[in-house]
Amino acid sequence: MNRFLDLADFTREEVTDLLALAQRLQDHPEPQALAGKILGLVFMNPSLRTLASMQAGMQRLGGTSFVITPGQGTWQLETRLGVRMDGGAAEHIREGFPVLASYCDAMGVRAFAEGKDLAADLAEEQFTAMAALINKPLINLESAVNHPCQALADWKTLDDVGVPRGGKFVLHWVTHPRALPLAVPAATLHMAAHRGMEVVVCRPEGYALPEATMAKARAAAAASGGSVTETTDRAAATAGAHVVYAKEWGCTAPYGDAAADLALRQHLNDWQVSEASFAAATTNAHFMHCLPVRRNVAVTDEVLDGPRSIVLREAHNRLVVQMAVLHRLLAR
Amino acid sequence: MNRFLDLADFTREEVTDLLALAQRLQDHPEPQALAGKILGLVFMNPSLRTLASMQAGMQRLGGTSFVITPGQGTWQLETRLGVRMDGGAAEHIREGFPVLASYCDAMGVRAFAEGKDLAADLAEEQFTAMAALINKPLINLESAVNHPCQALADWKTLDDVGVPRGGKFVLHWVTHPRALPLAVPAATLHMAAHRGMEVVVCRPEGYALPEATMAKARAAAAASGGSVTETTDRAAATAGAHVVYAKEWGCTAPYGDAAADLALRQHLNDWQVSEASFAAATTNAHFMHCLPVRRNVAVTDEVLDGPRSIVLREAHNRLVVQMAVLHRLLAR
Amino acid sequence: MNRFLDLADFTREEVTDLLALAQRLQDHPEPQALAGKILGLVFMNPSLRTLASMQAGMQRLGGTSFVITPGQGTWQLETRLGVRMDGGAAEHIREGFPVLASYCDAMGVRAFAEGKDLAADLAEEQFTAMAALINKPLINLESAVNHPCQALADWKTLDDVGVPRGGKFVLHWVTHPRALPLAVPAATLHMAAHRGMEVVVCRPEGYALPEATMAKARAAAAASGGSVTETTDRAAATAGAHVVYAKEWGCTAPYGDAAADLALRQHLNDWQVSEASFAAATTNAHFMHCLPVRRNVAVTDEVLDGPRSIVLREAHNRLVVQMAVLHRLLAR
């Protein structure tokens, strides 16, 4: 294994193997497994969990890391090809990324969607261009439409709390002051389908996930014995649910139009997960969210602070599964 | 020992033991004592000494650390309970802190005063709320009205330079372009009283320390055989002083009113420590300050660059005593 | 060796020895050579290569580092002597630097030119003042008119690709949206002269390097059997060149006058290195640049992406040679 860019690159068995390695490292720490290894981390966007857990993961395995935050203590990076660089960016990724890669043994890169051209984002044009410049093991720490570390952590969390493989998993749109990227909803949808679950995407009109995203999930479901459907009916969606996974994302038609999105979402403030959302769910149905989450916007305090919430376990599992990924990429 | 939040939580003997451990680690380094241990550091406010010395302290003991700076490469954190989070903060401390704690073996948190409600700040409402979310050993790296690492370093510095236990310690208000928090003056006052010194708080009208702060110090003095008084008379205060400890802080009545504070302090520019401040002090009386200090505002170049100044020793002792705290919290 | 501040402090033999050590560490890693050692890094200016390679260099040798970025998570630092500090800077370097030095085993400092007073910058007044405050081994990570780590990396790169000692080295001014410091051109010019090369500085009217800089290089050339000339004739300069080293810098007469510089350079957009620049160069002449570089401003994509470019090797050699410097300063 040389790259961890998309959970779809791995079969169910390979995912299960990674999760078993994660569990093994939890049960039997290997504090010297990555001694002498260096992870280079590039954050084009803010982060709390990813920044802390990647550094801690290396440290737990005896390795080290360095962090580069373009535009903050480091030059802004240009990503476009062929441009005359007379603007704010002093350095191009075509130099910056190979240079950083030459200093370390593996890299992790976080780069949100451009949010302008849906086809370009779906094709992961920016992340693919960056990845092509890095001749070292590479981890996707969130790209335009993917977040495989989050997806792997969530899969482990579902296993940890005993959610059945075929259980009902509701990816539930919730509101937010502004449009957010598709990375987590796309990765989560695929993950649940890949795990073999009965997946329902529940979202208002205008917030359908892109057809390519849905098709990828349906293919994963077909291979794993699961299913993928979508609805605008919240009551139907959550009925019998084992998991309600709340997530904010922007409207996709039009895509990347902040004004249109705001106009749409001003009527959607009631798209919030509360205890009422679990009225017809299974007993002890779980609440999930990738964090950060806006309390009393996306979800009520009551749910977040109550026994349904497994968001802290999800976040802790980021560390756990990323250690497995790092071990697989770097251990001799 | 599981928390280092307030020097008042420790008896004189316990403080003396910590300082002895600090000295032992200086004399006999233990470069593997914290091997494999991870310290998570959260800075809600700027820092130079604390940031560098906490990282270096872990490194000197064989451990590692990671740094999170909310609002700078990391989401801004909301601290209020029950609010609808539709503003600038994307994440609540109720998620952020437990998650970070789950990645490390101990945490250090720095959070200045809110500076609005004196009772809330005196009660350490914000820091207490944060601390309650962290189920790991925790170090207070400065809170609304406390800075125990600074206090411990200052105590060691007083010992290092041979200031007698019962010596006269003047906590001397000095001016600054704007109001600063009460954390260091409150912690310093208590520390000197706890050490058993004759403590005089010398400050202009309007800058009396809160009664709760004074009362806490008087109780410590009573237990240690010291005393605590206050005055606006600089000549009387510094007469016979062994130590002049300069510190800037904001007016407390009204508290947190920047305009009122500015109106008050515009007449106080002569509240600056200079050689003249030592005219009636003991021979070789020492000048202390926690740093950062504004030269020729709070204190003259002459004093800072002269033989009285032990500010660099104080700052170096931050490293020395924090290593003892880390060792006590984390060593097997 | 206790300081690495200027390549001119080292004889050709000493430089060669350092490069041999760099090669030895590449061929025979010493992952524990600096175990327990701490490097304190202070960046007064943005960085990518320097920040990442200094941290990675310590990590590759078993040591650790901490990073302080004044004005960003840390107080702004005042550098002027004798001033009343009532402005934005909360701390003076006279406290900040000795304190940081007391936490670590060696320091690296990056501080660009003030860019106002040429004589002051040529005298390295600011960096010299900082260095005087640091009683630990010290590395210049770029100062007003020097960048010895870059120069050493470039020397190794010239060796690596087999450029003859007496080869023709063209330091070629190229344009940029605004004036940049003299640090790299001055260091590069001296390095090539010190190596014994036939050095030509090719720059437009108004952009002559300071006479002191030229004189220093001529002295180095005289000692090494090389030569230093300057010209505005790009065709003559690049004829027979083994290396075209592109670099942006500001006009020196007047110095530090942004408006005058902009007026001058608006007619100099054709001062860009392209394939045409190599028309009369030696076969396989190399293109060098310290990075970051603005594509299609300073140099064309074609050159940067073509076989002439050795910019990535230069950048990688930053890590390689800095490890030698760190080893020399810190290994027992």
Side-chain angles (χ1 to χ4, degrees), chain A residues 47 49 59 294-296 315, chain B residues 65 73-74 85 87 91 95 103:
Chain A
S47 170
R49 271 152 293 283
Q59 292 165 343
R294 287 172 175 265
R295 284 174 167 257
N296 303 312
Chain B
S65 60
T74 293
M85 288 173 57
E91 178 145 29
E95 279 70 54
Y103 295 158

Side-chain angles (χ1 to χ4, degrees), chain C residues 174-236:
Chain C
V174 286
T175 195
H176 189 269
R178 58 182 173 79
L180 290 189
L182 298 171
V184 169
T188 301
L189 168 62
H190 174 270
M191 176 279 297
H194 199 10
R195 189 171 180 264
M197 305 188 76
E198 178 194 347
V199 188
V200 180
V201 183
C202 176
R203 43 62 185 174
E205 293 296 342
Y207 292 86
L209 290 171
E211 174 49 27
T213 303
M214 294 299 293
K216 177 177 172 181
R218 283 193 298 264
S224 298
S227 66
V228 172
T229 58
E230 57 187 323
T231 181
T232 60
D233 183 340
R234 285 173 275 177

Side-chain angles (χ1 to χ4, degrees), chain C residues 20 36 74 103 114 122 135 167 188 191 214 216 219 269 274 281 284-285 289 304 321 328 332:
Chain C
T74 293
Y103 296 157
E114 297 259 24
L122 286 171
N135 65 347
T188 301
M191 176 279 297
M214 294 299 293
K216 177 177 172 181
N269 281 339
S274 66
N284 303 323
H289 190 283
L304 264 178
V321 302
R328 194 59 63 87
R332 272 159 293 245

Side-chain angles (χ1 to χ4, degrees), chain B residues 47 49 59 294-296 315, chain C residues 65 73-74 85 87 91 95 103:
Chain B
S47 169
R49 270 153 295 282
Q59 291 165 343
R294 286 171 175 266
R295 285 175 165 255
N296 304 312
Chain C
S65 60
T74 293
M85 288 172 57
E91 178 144 29
E95 279 71 53
Y103 296 157

Side-chain angles (χ1 to χ4, degrees), chain A residues 153-154 157 245 288-289 310-318:
Chain A
D154 288 341
T157 305
Y245 192 112
M288 297 180 75
H289 190 284
I310 51 176
V311 298
L312 298 183
R313 185 156 202 158
E314 287 180 82
H316 178 65
N317 275 337
R318 291 289 304 276

Side-chain angles (χ1 to χ4, degrees), chain A residues 46-49 51-53 55-56 59-60 72 291-297 301 304-305 312 315-316 318-319, chain B residues 36 38 64-66 72-75 82-87 89-92 94-95 99-100 102-105:
Chain A
S47 170
L48 179 136
R49 271 152 293 283
L51 177 59
S53 63
Q55 294 184 275
Q59 292 165 343
R60 292 252 175 260
Q72 193 176 289
L291 305 182
V293 68
R294 287 172 175 265
R295 284 174 167 257
N296 303 312
V297 174
D301 281 341
L304 264 178
D305 295 330
L312 298 183
H316 178 65
R318 291 289 304 276
L319 172 66
Chain B
I38 302 174
T64 58
S65 60
F66 61 78
Q72 193 176 287
T74 293
W75 320 105
V83 297
R84 183 172 148 83
M85 288 173 57
D86 52 5
E91 178 145 29
H92 201 284
R94 288 184 69 80
E95 279 70 54
V99 166
L100 291 174
S102 84
Y103 295 158
C104 58
D105 302 298

Side-chain angles (χ1 to χ4, degrees), chain B residues 46-49 51-53 55-56 59-60 72 291-297 301 304-305 312 315-316 318-319, chain C residues 36 38 64-66 72-75 82-87 89-92 94-95 99-100 102-105:
Chain B
S47 169
L48 179 135
R49 270 153 295 282
L51 177 60
S53 62
Q55 293 185 274
Q59 291 165 343
R60 290 253 177 261
Q72 193 176 287
L291 305 181
V293 68
R294 286 171 175 266
R295 285 175 165 255
N296 304 312
V297 174
D301 281 342
L304 264 178
D305 295 331
L312 297 184
H316 178 65
R318 292 288 307 276
L319 172 66
Chain C
I38 302 175
T64 57
S65 60
F66 61 78
Q72 194 176 289
T74 293
W75 321 105
V83 296
R84 184 172 149 81
M85 288 172 57
D86 52 6
E91 178 144 29
H92 201 284
R94 287 184 69 81
E95 279 71 53
V99 166
L100 291 174
S102 84
Y103 296 157
C104 59
D105 300 300

